Amino acid sequence: VTSVLGVLRLEMDDLGQQLKLCRKLATLAEWLGARLVRAFPGFVGEISSRDPDPAYYRWVVDAFRQYCRILADSGLTLVSETHSHTFVDTAQGALKFVKDVGEPNHGFILQLGVVPRWSGMDALQFYRALQNKVLHMHIHPYPWQEHEDNIAHYAQLLPVLEKEKADFYLSIENCEALVSPLEAARWGAEMIRRFVAGERVSAPEDS
């Protein structure tokens, strides 16, 4: 189940609202038969694990600890997306964050983009660093905005995931809605097939 859970205001005044949202998402996830609820650790675009404000960081950690405990009552797991400008936008920050939250039902949804580069790693090194806690991954079928790194990332990582039979789902994300959902799904599925086969893949606009 995807949502804006975790995008906590820098003023630190909306935890009650977010906890209500978490409970609603738990109910929705149970109804859908989903097992994961996605969250963004902190106010996306305004923070980073590379320079965290200590008070705000502690507040977000506590919020995520409460999310996990709410979701645990329904047998669900919280996944923090490794998104730029969050508290998990480097491998080092992500590992620290999951350790500080300290709940067993907390892992990662892998988004690549600039995050491996910010970690001083390539895509495979980044995956290996977080591997034990990666529970889902999504790919972007168009390398726009910060995702200009993704073609190289996917070419390196997807064949490895296939060879090792990684035990998590990989989905297509069309968050910018620059194309229709059907077109994004079609091109994304074709990208995955070609990357896994070791074929060269270009961005659609370059094809």
Side-chain angles (χ1 to χ4, degrees):
V1 173
T2 186
S3 70
V4 292
L5 185 66
V7 186
L8 290 146
R9 284 166 47 87
L10 299 177
E11 292 81 1
M12 298 185 281
D13 59 2
D14 60 340
L15 180 57
Q17 178 183 348
Q18 286 274 308
L19 293 176
K20 288 180 183 178
L21 174 60
C22 186
R23 293 185 183 97
K24 289 180 180 179
L25 290 170
T27 299
L28 176 61
E30 285 188 278
W31 183 77
L32 291 171
R35 62 186 182 89
L36 305 177
V37 173
R38 179 180 72 163
F40 296 95
F43 200 94
V44 181
E46 298 294 328
I47 60 166
S48 175
S49 68
R50 297 173 294 172
D51 185 27
D53 174 78
Y56 181 68
Y57 178 82
R58 287 193 299 270
W59 193 68
V60 172
V61 165
D62 180 67
F64 272 63
R65 194 174 292 130
Q66 293 186 62
Y67 297 156
C68 287
R69 292 171 182 175
I70 290 170
L71 296 176
D73 291 339
S74 300
L76 300 169
T77 296
L78 184 69
V79 280
S80 291
E81 180 170 327
T82 57
H83 196 288
S84 60
H85 297 289
T86 67
F87 287 135
V88 292
D89 62 3
T90 62
Q92 300 85 349
L95 292 171
K96 181 179 189 307
F97 186 77
V98 78
K99 180 180 178 181
D100 290 344
V101 171
E103 296 294 329
N105 62 324
H106 183 208
F108 300 115
I109 177 170
L110 208 64
Q111 174 167 294
L112 298 175
V114 299
V115 174
R117 179 153 45 91
W118 286 2
S119 305
M121 300 175 176
D122 62 27
L124 183 57
Q125 291 168 332
F126 182 73
Y127 170 67
R128 292 292 188 222
L130 306 186
Q131 183 172 356
N132 292 338
K133 282 287 190 176
V134 174
L135 301 175
H136 187 85
M137 177 181 173
H138 62 230
I139 75 167
H140 294 260
Y142 294 83
W144 48 65
Q145 295 183 353
E146 77 205 50
H147 309 296
E148 67 272 9
D149 298 83
N150 278 333
I151 294 291
H153 289 335
Y154 302 151
Q156 181 186 41
L157 185 56
L158 294 190
V160 174
L161 298 181
E162 172 67 13
K163 181 179 179 181
E164 296 182 355
K165 306 299 180 187
D167 188 25
F168 54 82
Y169 287 106
L170 192 156
S171 61
I172 308 300
E173 182 172 87
N174 186 30
C175 61
E176 300 293 329
L178 297 182
V179 297
S180 72
L182 184 62
E183 174 64 12
R186 184 200 67 77
W187 176 244
E190 177 65 10
M191 281 179 69
I192 292 171
R193 184 196 68 77
R194 291 169 63 183
F195 279 127
V196 167
E199 298 177 13
R200 182 181 180 276
V201 178
S202 300
E205 58 268 29
D206 297 331
S207 300

